[in-house]
Amino acid sequence: LEKFISRNRQYSCQPTTVYRPEDARQAERHLQDAAQRGANLRAVGSFLSPNQIALSQDAVIALDRMDKVIRVDRMARQITVQAGATLRQISEALDRQGLALPVLGSISEQRIAGAIATATHGTGVAYPPLSGLVREIELVTPGHGILRLAATRDRDFDAVRVHVGSLGVVTEVTLDVCEAFDLDVTEGPAPLADVLERLPQSLHTDHYRFWYIPYADIAWEWTGRRVEPGGRPRSQGHMSPASFWRDRVLGHYGFEALLYLSASFPNLLPKINRWHSRLQFSCPRTSRGRSDQMFNMDCLHREFVSEWAIPVDATPTALKSLQSMADAQPYPMHLPIEVRFVRRDDAWLSPTYGRDCCYIGIINYIPYGRVISHDAYFHAFEDLMLQLGGRPHWAKSFRAGHEILRDLYPKWDDFQKLRETFDPRGVMYNSYTERVLGPVSGEPVQRAL
Ligand SMILES: Cc1cc2nc3c(=O)[nH]c(=O)nc-3n(C[C@H](O)[C@H](O)[C@H](O)COP(=O)(O)OP(=O)(O)OC[C@H]3O[C@@H](n4cnc5c(N)ncnc54)[C@H](O)[C@@H]3O)c2cc1C
């Protein structure tokens, strides 16, 4: 039996059936087969998500054989791909035509269908999550077979873009893209208070984010300006041979060893954070390169992560509360806390539905495979985010169930009606969808959770 393991190695499943379709018709037959057998089915992309969203012990449909770029329309600035194409494949195909994805998150290993289903985002308050780039989508549903939905034509289009894997299997996607560009990136440290005071101006830059370092009381700002493509890539102040010892040996392995130690001696953590921030976050640096390569970064350590989208205006309150939490030291807070900004989206279940958002992400490392207790920290963070009107990132850690989430999404009930139509017997179902979206009201198939 094939085993699927999440990138942080904390979530896995060994389904009895794995389907690998090569086109939409085959995917339809697989769905029919799963429904007839009374199996629960989850579609998987790269199986990276650090939570239970893609797990199924019963049946999985993997889109890795459907990863082709179908066409790039240079004039219309659109790309059509099979749903199993990775973000990296898409960026490479676009680059060959002088085009690019307008925005990306920290990595490009996700398959486009997985990224869209969870409203994966980058940073830049003028740029939507990746789901906001979708213009057409082909979806194979248990209830209605193969559907092709377009932004310009279909009432249900905004429901199916962010669907948390619960409406069917996405097999093809057309995305709006843009002219290729380079990013000119400036990074440097600043006191958190200054960063918050300057925030309205900072948000005017193309792509802006910062990382707050608990206990060290500084923030590390990252500002990306879009410039003409083709300039010479450069990198000053980081990843030179001279900094290899500092960044890789001490900053990575040394840091991980100290985190491992802090599991037994949590009082060490403030000192570790301050040491690491002096080592890695004290010298400003600049760099320039192709946009996708500059958006992506090394996510070296394995980690648990919780990320929530709150209204942009709530950013200072949220950060000050997290700073007070660090000052009070009720529990260890790993560095850094990532703060990004994303434009509103019209997809019904997008965390940025109807409002520009600040995404705040907290992490807890798993140094050398050692799980460090973090429930109290993550729960306090979730409570704070809920108080500020936050909505969780679907692919990360959160406790809230459908009883809470339904009040956070104006189109929740409409989505559920569509779910009942597209998947009346709850084929696309697992314990995550049961908790987060609630049961489908139709006659349930056998639940192998
Ligand atoms: C190291 C790391 C860095 C990350 N950085 C970011 C970031 O910068 N910004 C951000 O927003 N997120 C980020 N994420 C989260 C990541 O983008 C999501 O977890 C994403 O969903 C993973 O894509 P995947 O292809 O692995 O999907 P999977 O984890 O395999 O699946 C995710 C969801 O998509 C559904 N799905 C997948 N394929 C299909 C399909 N063909 N049809 C229907 N449903 C489908 C699954 O059923 C599931 O519900 C990061 C995650 C990791 C591990």
Side-chain angles (χ1 to χ4, degrees):
L1 291 181
E2 190 175 348
K3 193 163 185 180
F4 291 81
I5 305 173
S6 67
R7 162 124 168 197
N8 73 0
R9 305 191 75 76
Q10 298 305 307
Y11 304 97
S12 65
C13 63
Q14 215 163 3
T16 48
T17 309
V18 178
Y19 300 109
R20 286 206 151 79
E22 295 191 2
D23 57 36
R25 287 267 163 245
Q26 262 185 31
E28 188 181 26
R29 282 197 292 279
H30 294 327
L31 270 180
Q32 285 162 356
D33 182 59
Q36 271 158 18
R37 292 194 300 109
N40 293 126
L41 177 84
R42 292 301 279 165
V44 304
S46 296
F47 208 79
L48 293 168
S49 296
N51 71 7
Q52 300 88 345
I53 191 169
L55 305 190
S56 172
Q57 300 300 347
D58 210 357
V60 149
I61 184 162
L63 272 278
D64 45 6
R65 288 194 189 143
M66 293 186 65
D67 64 350
K68 313 281 176 307
V69 173
I70 297 171
R71 79 187 145 268
V72 179
D73 186 336
R74 181 78 191 71
M75 292 299 284
R77 289 202 287 260
Q78 288 189 335
I79 186 168
T80 302
V81 293
Q82 289 186 309
T86 63
L87 299 182
R88 175 147 303 117
Q89 283 172 285
I90 294 174
S91 289
E92 291 301 336
L94 288 173
D95 186 62
R96 286 194 284 276
Q97 302 280 341
L99 297 169
L101 286 166
V103 68
L104 276 168
S106 309
I107 56 169
S108 287
E109 289 123 289
Q110 304 97 324
R111 297 186 190 277
I112 187 68
I116 289 166
T118 58
T120 288
H121 64 90
T123 196
V125 80
Y127 299 89
L130 290 170
S131 49
L133 307 177
V134 179
R135 282 297 150 261
E136 281 188 36
I137 197 161
E138 183 180 75
L139 178 74
V140 185
T141 62
H144 285 291
I146 302 175
L147 303 174
R148 283 194 76 92
L149 298 145
T152 47
R153 199 179 57 214
D154 293 289
R155 200 169 43 95
D156 299 332
F157 181 74
D158 287 335
V160 304
R161 283 191 285 134
V162 180
H163 52 82
V164 202
S166 67
L167 296 180
V169 181
V170 176
T171 45
E172 197 180 299
V173 178
T174 298
L175 303 168
D176 274 346
V177 298
C178 66
E179 296 296 326
F181 59 100
D182 280 359
L183 272 186
D184 210 337
V185 173
T186 309
E187 299 171 77
L192 179 64
D194 294 2
V195 167
L196 295 179
E197 203 182 303
R198 281 192 270 106
L199 189 59
Q201 295 89 284
S202 304
L203 289 180
H204 287 304
T205 51
D206 297 323
H207 301 278
Y208 173 75
R209 65 179 154 187
F210 65 89
W211 289 271
Y212 165 57
I213 317 290
Y215 310 120
D217 251 358
I218 62 145
W220 180 260
E221 292 181 285
W222 183 103
T223 306
R225 275 190 315 109
R226 296 163 83 100
V227 293
E228 285 298 308
R232 244 189 55 205
R234 71 182 154 71
S235 161
Q236 273 165 14
H238 60 155
M239 285 307 166
S240 62
S243 67
F244 179 78
W245 169 255
R246 184 195 67 200
D247 292 340
R248 281 297 162 101
V249 181
L250 281 178
H252 181 57
Y253 298 109
F255 179 53
E256 193 166 5
L258 289 171
L259 289 171
Y260 187 91
L261 206 65
S262 78
S264 307
F265 305 101
N267 291 344
L268 284 181
L269 201 72
K271 287 194 185 67
I272 296 171
N273 279 14
R274 285 195 282 271
W275 168 78
H276 192 264
S277 86
R278 272 198 307 277
L279 185 78
Q280 299 269 275
F281 302 121
S282 52
C283 300
R285 50 204 190 206
T286 61
S287 48
R288 174 185 172 143
R290 206 173 93 180
S291 57
D292 55 319
Q293 292 161 4
M294 301 304 287
F295 281 130
N296 285 174
M297 53 187 237
D298 252 344
C299 296
L300 293 170
H301 299 285
R302 284 156 52 189
E303 63 199 20
F304 292 102
V305 45
S306 179
E307 190 180 27
W308 286 67
I310 55 172
V312 170
D313 294 349
T315 311
T317 311
L319 266 296
K320 283 176 196 159
S321 303
L322 287 166
Q323 191 177 31
S324 307
M325 231 186 244
D327 290 345
Q329 299 195 8
Y331 23 70
M333 293 163 72
H334 286 181
L335 68 79
I337 292 173
E338 186 170 31
V339 184
R340 294 183 276 185
F341 300 90
V342 181
R343 199 189 82 192
R344 59 190 291 155
D345 187 13
D346 297 327
W348 298 354
L349 288 198
S350 173
T352 61
Y353 177 81
R355 63 193 196 189
D356 294 342
C357 280
C358 161
Y359 264 96
I360 302 184
I362 62 167
I363 56 179
N364 189 267
Y365 292 111
I366 309 167
Y368 299 111
R370 185 170 186 178
V371 172
I372 302 177
S373 154
H374 56 277
D375 284 354
Y377 174 31
F378 277 37
H379 294 170
F381 174 66
E382 177 158 347
D383 291 345
L384 172 66
M385 293 295 102
L386 282 168
Q387 274 167 33
L388 296 174
R391 299 172 182 149
H393 190 310
W394 296 113
K396 303 193 178 178
S397 291
F398 60 96
R399 273 187 309 176
H402 59 94
E403 307 82 358
I404 292 176
L405 296 169
R406 65 177 311 150
D407 293 336
L408 306 179
Y409 287 91
K411 303 286 276 184
W412 184 269
D413 290 341
D414 295 325
F415 183 85
Q416 296 295 2
K417 277 188 207 132
L418 204 70
R419 194 172 161 225
E420 278 164 29
T421 316
F422 283 8
D423 185 17
R425 300 179 66 216
V427 177
M428 313 295 301
Y429 199 87
N430 67 358
S431 55
Y432 171 94
T433 61
E434 178 167 86
R435 172 175 70 87
V436 167
L437 298 178
V440 207
S441 67
E443 183 58 35
V445 292
Q446 175 199 336
R447 306 258 179 253
L449 304 177

